[in-house]
């Protein structure tokens, strides 16, 4: 904000869906970003820059291997996301990305 006197605001929704009788939870999310104050840099006054849609799958290792949550909640997580531009003047790029890893919540 200080360098370019602009504003970036991102808002979104997230919903988790546990699959019954399995150690799997799917979480869907959607975000949209708004920017303003970029007229000096890009010649655009602002607007909705990009959106993001994604899905995360989580497999509970505690449930799968039947061990206590006393030492934390272990899970294997994988996600896939898509980011798309809304207004071309605001320099957002479209991309598909994702990842996987092991998570520990204690």
């Amino acid at each position: 904000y200080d360098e370019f006197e602009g504003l970036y605001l991102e808002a979104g929704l997230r919903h988790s869906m546990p699959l019954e009788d399995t150690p799997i939870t799917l979480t869907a999310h959607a975000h949209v970003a708004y920017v303003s104050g970029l007229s000096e840099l890009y010649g655009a006054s602002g607007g909705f820059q990009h959106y993001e849609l994604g899905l995360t799958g989580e497999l509970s290792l505690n449930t799968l291997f039947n061990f206590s949550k006393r030492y934390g909640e272990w899970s294997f997580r994988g996600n896939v996301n898509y980011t798309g531009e809304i207004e071309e003047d605001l320099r957002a790029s479209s991309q598909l990305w994702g990842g996987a890893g092991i998570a520990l919540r204690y």
Side-chain angles (χ1 to χ4, degrees):
Y1 178 80
D2 290 339
E3 187 174 345
F4 299 114
E5 298 180 6
L7 173 72
Y8 177 88
L9 178 67
E10 184 171 310
L13 299 171
R14 177 179 306 268
H15 181 69
S16 295
M17 302 160 282
L19 301 180
E20 288 187 34
D21 301 324
T22 71
I24 299 172
T25 300
L26 297 177
T27 303
H29 68 88
H31 301 261
V32 65
Y34 179 85
V35 295
S36 70
L38 300 175
S39 57
E40 293 179 19
L41 290 175
Y42 304 120
S45 61
F48 288 98
Q49 182 191 35
H50 70 271
Y51 65 92
E52 181 180 311
L53 303 172
L55 182 67
T56 300
E58 183 171 0
L59 172 67
S60 170
L61 297 176
N62 294 72
T63 303
L64 184 66
F65 296 118
N66 196 25
F67 59 87
S68 171
K69 294 183 180 180
R70 178 179 177 183
Y71 303 107
E73 295 181 50
W74 293 84
S75 61
F76 178 76
R77 302 176 90 186
N79 64 62
V80 63
N81 300 284
Y82 177 77
T83 302
E85 66 179 323
I86 296 176
E87 292 188 25
E88 291 180 15
D89 295 342
L90 297 176
R91 292 192 180 183
S93 60
S94 298
Q95 52 188 317
L96 181 65
W97 53 280
I102 293 178
L104 169 63
R105 287 187 292 261
Y106 194 77

